[in-house]
Amino acid sequence: SVITVVVNSEKLIEKTIQSVINQSYKDFEYIIIDGGSTDGTTEVIKEYSDHIAFWSSNQDLGISDAFNKGISKATGELIGIINAGDILLDDALISIYNAFTENNFDYLYGNSVLREINDIDLRVLKPLKVVGFPYGGMPFQPSTFYITRRVFESVGNYNINYKTAMDFEFFLRVLKMNFKSYYLDKNLTVYYRGGMS
């Protein structure tokens, strides 16, 4: 299951949708949770509704709440989130699927390309190799984080009390449970600078 959360991003959402629906791997569901956009975002989503398993547009309690709404609709064994404006690179899903079928893990993460708004690539974001705590933040780009349903069932969803850094807090709960991780050394997403945080 691939989830996109969005609000008032009519100029950004289309490239995200296209990057998901144009994947070579097709056996997945796409879920979009819109936070009650007042611009043209929902009109763009409607144009692609044939490729979307579920979408809704309602006011929510923030990003964490939107994440949780998407997760509640997901039926896949692996769940990933690609935010509006970011891009799922070609063949990302087939690479993730192959890794999932060939290895035993509870969650996967990979590399992301950091890109300026003017489409200039700055560098590849590879996971931090940090020993001990505290981390200074997420050790990998969250758009490359694919999590098995079992993890959510064990640790719960994203904490709606966090307006940002909810992914880091969630990851810390995952680490405490000693789940098996897998690093896929491949560029999976493009992460544009800017956004909420």
Side-chain angles (χ1 to χ4, degrees):
S1 301
V2 180
I3 299 166
T4 293
V5 301
V6 59
V7 65
N8 292 332
S9 294
E10 64 177 321
K11 295 181 179 178
L12 302 176
I13 186 65
E14 187 167 33
K15 66 182 177 183
T16 302
I17 293 173
Q18 289 179 346
S19 77
V20 174
I21 67 175
N22 291 329
Q23 291 289 305
S24 59
Y25 180 75
K26 300 299 184 185
D27 189 16
F28 69 96
E29 64 181 359
Y30 190 28
I31 296 164
I32 299 180
I33 305 298
D34 175 73
S37 290
T38 55
D39 62 358
T41 298
T42 55
E43 282 68 30
V44 176
I45 296 170
K46 288 175 185 176
E47 290 179 22
Y48 295 93
S49 60
D50 289 349
H51 302 278
I52 301 168
F54 175 86
W55 75 277
S56 65
S57 181
N58 298 290
Q59 286 204 335
D60 52 46
L61 300 175
I63 297 171
S64 296
D65 188 32
F67 285 169
N68 293 340
K69 286 181 177 181
I71 293 163
S72 73
K73 296 296 182 181
T75 63
E77 285 302 308
L78 270 182
I79 301 170
I81 297 171
I82 180 86
N83 290 325
D86 296 335
I87 292 173
L88 200 58
L89 288 170
D90 294 344
D91 297 328
L93 291 187
I94 189 64
S95 299
I96 292 167
Y97 171 77
N98 288 338
F100 186 55
T101 57
E102 296 167 6
N103 301 276
N104 180 24
F105 62 81
D106 297 298
Y107 65 92
L108 169 150
Y109 53 90
N111 308 329
S112 184
V113 178
L114 178 62
R115 185 173 289 175
E116 282 282 14
I117 299 300
N118 60 5
D119 285 329
I120 295 176
D121 290 349
L122 299 177
R123 65 183 184 276
V124 173
L125 301 173
K126 291 198 168 191
L128 299 174
K129 294 182 179 178
V130 180
V131 177
F133 284 93
Y135 285 109
M138 280 294 282
F140 47 82
Q141 219 292 316
S143 63
T144 72
F145 193 24
Y146 278 73
I147 312 158
T148 59
R149 177 172 301 283
R150 186 170 84 91
V151 172
F152 284 111
E153 291 170 351
S154 298
V155 305
N157 289 345
Y158 290 89
N159 189 329
I160 62 172
N161 294 317
Y162 290 91
K163 302 305 179 187
T164 61
M166 70 290 292
D167 42 18
F168 183 45
E169 188 274 339
F170 176 82
F171 178 60
L172 292 180
R173 281 187 276 136
V174 171
L175 282 183
K176 288 171 66 175
M177 298 288 286
N178 294 315
F179 285 110
K180 290 184 179 179
S181 66
Y182 182 82
Y183 168 48
L184 179 58
D185 189 7
K186 180 179 175 67
N187 295 347
L188 300 176
T189 64
V190 171
Y191 170 63
Y192 278 87
R193 291 186 68 173
M196 180 69 179
S197 62

